[in-house]
Amino acid sequence: MGLLSRVGFIAAGVACVTATTNVAAVESSSSAPLVSPDVSLARANAPQIFNAVNNAMRQWGSSVHHNGMSLFLVTVPAGNLFYHGCGTPDRRAGFEWLSFEPEHASYFGRSEEPRNDHEGNGSDGQQPSTPPPSSNAQLVMVPADPPADEPPQWPNCPELPASGQRGYIHTYKAARDLRVLYIDGQAAAKSFIGTLDIQNLVLLNFKDNPMDCMMGDMTRARSLCDLMTTEWAGAHIDGILRMEAGFELIYCDFADGGGLDLVSVVGSPFKNETGKADETGWSTESRNERDNLRASDPVPGGVLGMEWIRAVAQRYHGFEPERIEVDFSSMVSAFWYPLNRTNPDVRRPDLPRFVNASDDALLVMYGRVREVLHDRRAAKPSVHWQAVSDRVVSLFGSRLEAMAGEGSTAATMASQISSLVNPFINYGVRIDRNESVSRCATSHLTRTQELQHHWTKEDHLIFAAFEVITHRICNTLFDLRPVLDGPSDDDVLSARATARDLMQWLGWARFRGCAGQDCGDPERICFITMFPAGGTVDHFRPRCKTAEEIGQAESHGYFSTRPAPEEPLFSTMSTSATSYQWFV
C-alpha cells in the first residue's frame, strides 16, 4: 500500500477500538479492525515505555536498547551548530546528513591518503591532486562483504572518496528553531536486526528493504524528506533525527532559506601537511589491512576514530539543555498499541521488531504520528517526563545495585530499605501496608498530576506506565522489609535475588556495564556497541577500552553478524556491586 493510499485509508473513518484481546490473535486476523492506544498495554509494557522516555536523546541508553519503538518531536533552538563531512567544498543541496559533533563529521570528511607512495601522497612535498568531488563521505558505513581488494559498492550509491582526495568539513548554523522528528534507539544503524523498522515499516511502508546506498539509506532519506512536502506539509518538519555512534540529522533542505546558514568550509589535512603520522592511527604498513577492514565493516579505530568515540561518550547521558528540546507529550510508541512485536529471529527474542505487525496496526500508529506532527506545531510539552524518570532512577538505581551486590549484608540492605520507605509509613498508628506503598509510589508523580488539564493522550499513557514502575519498586521494597528482620544467610541470598529480579524487570541502562564510571585513564573510554563499531561482547559487556582495542576485529561486526545473546549474560551475575549485565 503506497503512502498516499495509506493516508486515505486512515482518513476513511475506519472505526478504532480499544484492544482487549490477545495481541497475537488481533494480528493474525486479516479482518481485524484498526485499534487505538490502550492504557492496559501501557501498563503491561511499563518498563519499555519508562526506558524509552529515560533514554531519549541519550547515547548510552539508546545503545543498550537499540531497536527503537518510539518517536518524539524535538526542537533545535536557533544558533546551534551542525557539521557535515564530504569530498567537496561546495555547499550541499537537497537533503543531506548533519552531525552534532565535529569529530563525527571529521571522520567522514577526512582526506583520503593515496594507497601507496607512487600515487602522489605528498611525500615529496607536492600537494596531492584533487579528483572530481564525490558525494558526501558520510555514506560509507555499510556492513558489506565485498572482495578484500575492492571497496564496497552498492547500486545507485555515490562514489566513495577516491585515493588522494581531500575531504572537507562544512559547518552550518540553525538560522531559526528547527522542528525535527526523533526516532529513538539506534535508528541510524544500517542493519537487519530491527534498527530501521520504524522508518521502513511504520513511516515508509517499505516491505522490502531497498538495497541501494547504505542499505537503502539514500532511498530512505529521500522518501522521508518527500513526506515533509506531501503528507506532512503544513507541519513544518525540517528533518529526521537519528542516532548511531553519535546523533545525526537528515536535513531535508540545504538550500539558502531552508533554515541553515553556512558558517564555514575547511579542508582536512593530508598527513604531510600536519607533520604528524597518519591521523587515522594506521601505519603505512597496515594501510592495506585497514582498507580491507573498512570494506567489510568499517570501524572507527585509531586516533581520529578514538576522538570521535570520545566526543560521542560525552552524550552518554544527554545533551546540555539549550542544544535540544524534546516534547515528551508528543511521544508515539509501539508499546501502547496492540501490535505484534515478536522478533522472527528466535536467537534474539529480546529485540522488538515490526516485521510481524499487521498493516492495520502499523497504519494506526503512522496515522497518530501524522496527527501529532500537525497538532503540536506550536504546543509546549505538558510534563518533562524524562526529568521525572531521572528522579526515580537516581533515587532507586544505586540502592538497588548495592542491595543486589555480592557484598550486601542484612544490615546494609535494611538501612537502604528503611531510608527509602520510612518517610511513607505512619508509625504512630497501625501500619497499613497498602496505604504506605501507595504513598511511596505516588510521591514521585504528584506534581505531574497537577498539570493534567494540559495533558495529551500520550501524557496519560506515559503516566500509566510510570505508575506501574514506581508501584512495583515500592511494593518490592515493602516485600523485603520483613525478610531482613533477624535474617538467616538464606534470607540475605533471597533478598539479593529479589533485588536482582527487580533490576532485570526494570532494565535500566545504568545497570549495564561501565556507564558513569571513571575508567581511571584518559586513554581509555567506556565503550558500548554503537554503529558501526562494536562487537557482541561490547554490547552485552561494555568496558573501558583504548583506541587500539576499539579498532581490533572483535570490536566490530555486531550489527552485521546478527549475534545471538550469550546465555551467561542472562543467567549469571557479575560479582561487582556496580556492574550488572545479564539483560538487554
Side-chain angles (χ1 to χ4, degrees):
M1 185 180 293
L3 289 172
L4 294 178
S5 59
R6 290 172 71 199
V7 175
F9 186 57
I10 295 168
V14 180
C16 292
V17 298
T18 299
T20 56
T21 56
N22 179 272
V23 171
V26 172
E27 293 284 24
S28 65
S29 172
S30 60
S31 59
L34 293 180
V35 290
S36 63
D38 185 350
V39 70
S40 67
L41 289 174
R43 295 189 179 106
N45 296 310
Q48 292 88 341
I49 293 169
F50 184 94
N51 287 329
V53 170
N54 190 250
N55 297 335
M57 291 300 300
R58 291 174 173 172
Q59 187 79 39
W60 187 266
S62 299
S63 298
V64 172
H65 302 286
H66 54 65
N67 278 16
M69 294 278 118
S70 306
L71 307 96
F72 305 78
L73 271 171
V74 167
T75 298
V76 180
N80 273 290
L81 298 181
F82 295 94
Y83 308 91
H84 177 74
C86 62
T88 173
D90 299 331
R91 178 171 181 147
R92 315 309 291 145
F95 67 89
E96 284 289 356
W97 286 254
L98 289 170
S99 302
F100 277 69
E101 315 299 336
E103 294 89 346
H104 189 175
S106 294
Y107 191 80
F108 302 104
R110 66 194 183 277
S111 295
E112 282 294 322
E113 300 290 339
R115 293 181 184 274
N116 59 65
D117 288 343
H118 299 293
E119 298 182 51
N121 67 352
S123 60
D124 58 359
Q126 299 298 313
Q127 289 289 346
S129 60
T130 302
S134 67
S135 186
N136 81 57
Q138 289 188 238
L139 298 179
V140 302
M141 289 194 163
V142 290
D145 189 20
D149 58 349
E150 297 180 14
Q153 296 294 331
W154 296 86
N156 304 317
C157 190
E159 182 183 353
L160 296 176
S163 174
Q165 179 179 350
R166 185 179 298 281
Y168 295 87
I169 308 300
H170 297 228
T171 300
Y172 292 89
K173 181 177 69 174
R176 53 173 171 77
D177 288 356
L178 306 179
R179 295 184 78 236
V180 297
L181 180 62
Y182 166 55
I183 304 170
D184 72 345
Q186 290 202 51
K190 273 59 73 176
S191 78
F192 295 103
I193 63 176
T195 54
L196 299 169
D197 278 6
I198 282 186
Q199 295 159 86
N200 286 352
L201 300 176
V202 177
L203 299 181
L204 298 174
N205 196 34
F206 287 172
K207 295 302 182 185
D208 297 310
N209 195 59
M211 290 305 293
D212 64 2
C213 182
M214 290 273 305
M215 282 183 63
D217 221 37
M218 181 65 74
T219 295
R220 189 175 300 109
R222 181 180 295 109
S223 299
L224 288 167
C225 286
D226 285 345
L227 290 174
M228 313 292 175
T229 57
T230 55
E231 298 176 26
W232 301 351
H236 306 301
I237 303 300
D238 294 299
I240 301 293
L241 180 54
R242 315 184 302 181
M243 194 197 85
E244 52 178 13
F247 285 88
E248 69 173 28
L249 178 60
I250 299 174
Y251 198 81
C252 294
D253 186 5
F254 267 64
D256 286 333
L260 294 177
D261 290 336
L262 180 61
V263 175
S264 66
V265 178
V266 299
S268 299
F270 290 95
K271 66 177 183 178
N272 69 301
E273 295 174 318
T274 63
K276 298 180 180 179
D278 184 351
E279 293 190 6
T280 61
W282 298 88
S283 66
T284 302
E285 292 74 17
S286 65
R287 191 167 292 136
N288 288 336
E289 178 184 349
R290 174 202 67 180
D291 293 336
N292 293 340
L293 182 59
R294 280 183 181 169
S296 61
D297 194 2
V299 176
V303 178
L304 188 57
M306 183 65 163
E307 294 313 309
W308 173 12
I309 298 300
R310 193 189 306 278
V312 167
Q314 300 305 310
R315 307 303 180 194
Y316 277 166
H317 305 296
F319 287 84
E320 56 272 20
E322 294 182 354
R323 194 72 161 106
I324 53 97
E325 299 170 359
V326 181
D327 179 1
F328 291 98
S329 299
S330 72
M331 179 181 181
V332 178
S333 179
F335 292 119
W336 52 60
Y337 284 92
L339 49 78
N340 190 341
R341 297 182 302 278
T342 304
N343 189 351
D345 184 350
V346 296
R347 300 172 304 166
R348 295 302 304 270
D350 53 292
L351 297 182
R353 298 291 310 271
F354 283 107
V355 290
N356 285 321
S358 70
D359 288 343
D360 285 356
L362 293 175
L363 279 166
V364 172
M365 185 173 172
Y366 172 77
R368 182 56 184 161
V369 171
R370 187 167 173 265
E371 288 176 358
V372 166
L373 294 181
H374 286 84
D375 292 349
R376 296 194 63 76
R377 281 174 293 184
K380 296 294 183 182
S382 303
V383 178
H384 197 305
W385 290 107
Q386 190 173 67
V388 178
S389 72
D390 283 342
R391 287 195 292 273
V392 174
V393 172
S394 63
L395 177 62
F396 295 110
S398 62
R399 289 178 166 104
L400 288 175
E401 289 175 317
M403 285 188 279
E406 296 295 337
S408 61
T409 65
T412 59
M413 278 191 273
S415 175
Q416 298 275 0
I417 292 170
S418 295
S419 69
L420 291 170
V421 303
N422 279 352
F424 309 106
I425 300 173
N426 185 357
Y427 283 97
V429 296
R430 177 177 170 273
I431 295 176
D432 186 319
R433 176 199 161 102
N434 291 337
E435 188 176 284
S436 299
V437 170
S438 178
R439 287 195 198 101
C440 172
T442 58
S443 64
H444 311 287
L445 303 174
T446 300
R447 185 178 179 277
T448 67
Q449 293 176 288
E450 295 178 0
L451 305 171
Q452 273 192 333
H453 57 289
H454 294 301
W455 281 10
T456 63
K457 298 174 185 177
E458 286 70 29
D459 286 318
H460 286 278
L461 294 162
I462 296 171
F463 178 79
F466 277 40
E467 269 192 320
V468 172
I469 296 296
T470 57
H471 189 275
R472 174 75 175 263
I473 293 171
C474 293
N475 196 57
T476 301
L477 294 175
F478 274 87
D479 283 343
L480 289 174
R481 286 181 74 245
V483 173
L484 298 174
D485 291 339
S488 65
D489 289 343
D490 287 343
D491 291 331
V492 172
L493 292 175
S494 176
R496 287 178 190 162
T498 298
R500 292 169 185 171
D501 288 344
L502 177 59
M503 291 171 66
Q504 184 162 4
W505 180 80
L506 291 169
W508 291 346
R510 68 163 289 149
F511 298 151
R512 176 75 67 87
C514 51
Q517 295 181 19
D518 183 0
C519 289
D521 180 351
E523 298 304 316
R524 303 175 74 85
I525 293 175
C526 176
F527 179 71
I528 189 171
T529 297
M530 300 174 287
F531 184 86
T536 301
V537 172
D538 295 315
H539 178 71
F540 292 108
R541 294 187 187 275
R543 64 181 178 88
C544 295
K545 285 191 167 187
T546 63
E548 181 180 2
E549 290 170 325
I550 293 174
Q552 290 173 351
E554 61 265 24
S555 284
H556 72 102
Y558 173 82
F559 289 101
S560 58
T561 56
R562 310 186 195 186
E566 301 177 23
E567 183 61 31
L569 300 175
F570 293 86
S571 60
T572 63
M573 287 291 299
S574 165
T575 57
S576 167
T578 58
S579 181
Y580 302 97
Q581 306 154 335
W582 68 96
F583 55 80
V584 176

